[in-house]
C-alpha cells in the first residue's frame, strides 16, 4: 500500500466518524422536552386556573342566591303559616316577597351563565388533556428511538476510532499533520482520487507529470489546484 492509499483508507474511516458525530449532535438537540410539549402543558395549567376561578365565582353567586332564597322562604312561612292575619301586614309581606324574588333574577342569570362557562371550560380542558396525552405518547416513542440510535452511534464511533488509531499508527506524523490540516480546510476531504486524468476533489484536469508521479506512488503528490493528496486506485 502506498501512503496515499493508507490515507485514503484513513479518510474513509474519518468520514464515517464525521457522519455519525454530526448525527449525534443532531440527536442531542432533539433529546428532551419539545417547545410544543412545554407550550401545551402551560396551556393546560392556564385552563385549570381559569376553571378554578370560575368555580370560585360560582360559589360566591351560589351563596348569594341561597341567602336570598332563605330570606324569601322566611317571608313565605310568615305569609302562609297562618300566624299573620292582618290584611295590611299580609299585603306588606306579599310585596316584600315579590321584591326579594325580583332580586333573585340577576344572580340566577349569572349562575346560569357561569354554569355554561364552566361546562365549556371543562370540555376544552378535557380536549387539551387528550391532545397532550397523544402528543406525549408520540414524544416518548420518539425519544426512546433517539436514545437507542444514540447508543448505536456511540458504539459505532468507538469502534471506528479504534480502527482509526490502528490505521493511523503506521503513518508518519508529518504526513498525518498535512492530512489533518487538509481535512480541516477541505470539508473533511484531504485525499482525492485521481480518475480519468482529473482530480475528483475539484474536477480539474491534472498535468500529465503530476498524474505520473501520483501513479508511481512514491511520496505524496498534491493536486495543483485544491492541494488535496492524490490517490490513484
Ligand atoms: Zn483538486
Amino acid at each position: 500500500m502506498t501512503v496515499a492509499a493508507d490515507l485514503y483508507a484513513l479518510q474513509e474511516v474519518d468520514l464515517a466518524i464525521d457522519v455519525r458525530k454530526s448525527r449525534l449532535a443532531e440527536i442531542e438537540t432533539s433529546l428532551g422536552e419539545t417547545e410544543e410539549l412545554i407550550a401545551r402543558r402551560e396551556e393546560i395549567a392556564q385552563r385549570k386556573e381559569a376553571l378554578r376561578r370560575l368555580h370560585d365565582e360560582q360559589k360566591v353567586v351560589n351563596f348569594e342566591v341561597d341567602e336570598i332564597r332563605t330570606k324569601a322562604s322566611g317571608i313565605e312561612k310568615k305569609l302562609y303559616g297562618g300566624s299573620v292575619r292582618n290584611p295590611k301586614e299580609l299585603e306588606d309581606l306579599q310585596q316584600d316577597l315579590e321584591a326579594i324574588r325580583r332580586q333573585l333574577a340577576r344572580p340566577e342569570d349569572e349562575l346560569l351563565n357561569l354554569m355554561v362557562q364552566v361546562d365549556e371550560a371543562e370540555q376544552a380542558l378535557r380536549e387539551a388533556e387528550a391532545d397532550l396525552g397523544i402528543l406525549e405518547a408520540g414524544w416518548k416513542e420518539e425519544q426512546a428511538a433517539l436514545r437507542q440510535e444514540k447508543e448505536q452511534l456511540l458504539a459505532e464511533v468507538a469502534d471506528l476510532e479504534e480502527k482509526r488509531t490502528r490505521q493511523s499508527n503506521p503513518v508518519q506524523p508529518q504526513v498525518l499533520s498535512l492530512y489533518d490540516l487538509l481535512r480541516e480546510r477541505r470539508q473533511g476531504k484531504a485525499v482525492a482520487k485521481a480518475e480519468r486524468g482529473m482530480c475528483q476533489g475539484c474536477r480539474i484536469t491534472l498535468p500529465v507529470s503530476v498524474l505520473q508521479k501520483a501513479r508511481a506512488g512514491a511520496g505524496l503528490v498534491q493536486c495543483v489546484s485544491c492541494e488535496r493528496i492524490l490517490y490513484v486506485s
Side-chain angles (χ1 to χ4, degrees):
M1 282 251 270
T2 62
V3 179
D6 284 346
L7 290 177
Y8 190 81
L10 185 64
Q11 180 169 278
E12 297 275 81
V13 177
D14 276 335
L15 291 174
I17 292 173
D18 289 349
V19 169
R20 281 158 186 78
K21 283 194 172 167
S22 94
R23 177 61 189 148
L24 276 167
E26 236 175 55
I27 289 175
E28 218 47 60
T29 63
S30 307
L31 282 172
E33 304 260 272
T34 63
E35 272 173 38
E36 194 187 8
L37 212 55
I38 292 165
R40 284 299 180 89
R41 290 208 182 109
E42 176 61 25
E43 181 206 323
I44 286 175
Q46 280 170 2
R47 287 191 183 283
K48 281 185 178 165
E49 176 56 23
L51 193 58
R52 195 190 59 72
R53 278 198 300 269
L54 282 174
H55 279 138
D56 284 351
E57 269 183 71
Q58 227 179 358
K59 267 186 222 159
V60 170
V61 182
N62 246 327
F63 184 78
E64 197 183 337
V65 168
D66 279 351
E67 230 178 11
I68 298 170
R69 281 185 183 149
T70 307
K71 265 193 219 166
S73 74
I75 295 170
E76 276 170 346
K77 261 185 209 149
K78 274 195 204 163
L79 193 58
Y80 307 121
S83 60
V84 182
R85 292 216 167 82
N86 182 324
K88 175 74 180 84
E89 218 176 305
L90 284 171
E91 197 181 315
D92 285 350
L93 283 172
Q94 187 63 48
Q95 272 172 9
D96 285 351
L97 186 62
E98 278 160 22
I100 279 177
R101 281 181 179 155
R102 279 195 296 275
Q103 279 177 33
L104 264 180
R106 184 197 48 83
E108 274 179 346
D109 276 356
E110 217 173 297
L111 207 56
L112 213 62
N113 185 23
L114 279 168
M115 277 160 71
V116 172
Q117 284 186 56
V118 165
D119 266 359
E120 284 170 358
E122 279 174 347
Q123 175 69 20
L125 177 62
R126 275 196 298 273
E127 280 168 14
E129 281 175 335
D131 283 352
L132 178 65
I134 292 167
L135 199 67
E136 274 179 330
W139 174 79
K140 276 181 191 157
E141 220 170 279
E142 197 186 86
Q143 293 287 302
L146 285 173
R147 278 194 296 273
Q148 202 183 345
E149 191 187 350
K150 181 183 168 179
E151 289 310 307
Q152 171 76 26
L153 287 168
L154 285 173
E156 286 174 13
V157 167
D159 283 351
L160 286 164
E161 276 174 349
E162 223 177 281
K163 195 173 173 189
R164 184 191 199 278
T165 307
R166 271 200 314 275
Q167 285 185 205
S168 62
N169 270 340
V171 184
Q172 284 180 333
Q174 65 267 36
V175 173
L176 265 187
S177 302
L178 175 67
Y179 166 84
D180 287 338
L181 184 73
L182 286 170
R183 240 171 75 75
E184 221 170 274
R185 285 189 190 161
R186 296 284 179 265
Q187 292 85 42
K189 291 188 178 170
V191 188
K193 276 189 178 178
E195 279 175 347
R196 291 184 294 276
M198 283 196 302
C199 163
Q200 298 302 309
C202 67
R203 318 294 292 176
I204 200 175
T205 299
L206 293 159
V208 176
S209 60
V210 171
L211 274 171
Q212 276 170 348
K213 262 201 246 170
R215 275 198 202 102
L220 289 183
V221 182
Q222 288 175 258
C223 170
V224 290
S225 169
C226 71
E227 295 186 306
R228 287 186 179 93
I229 297 158
L230 294 171
Y231 165 53
V232 183
S233 55

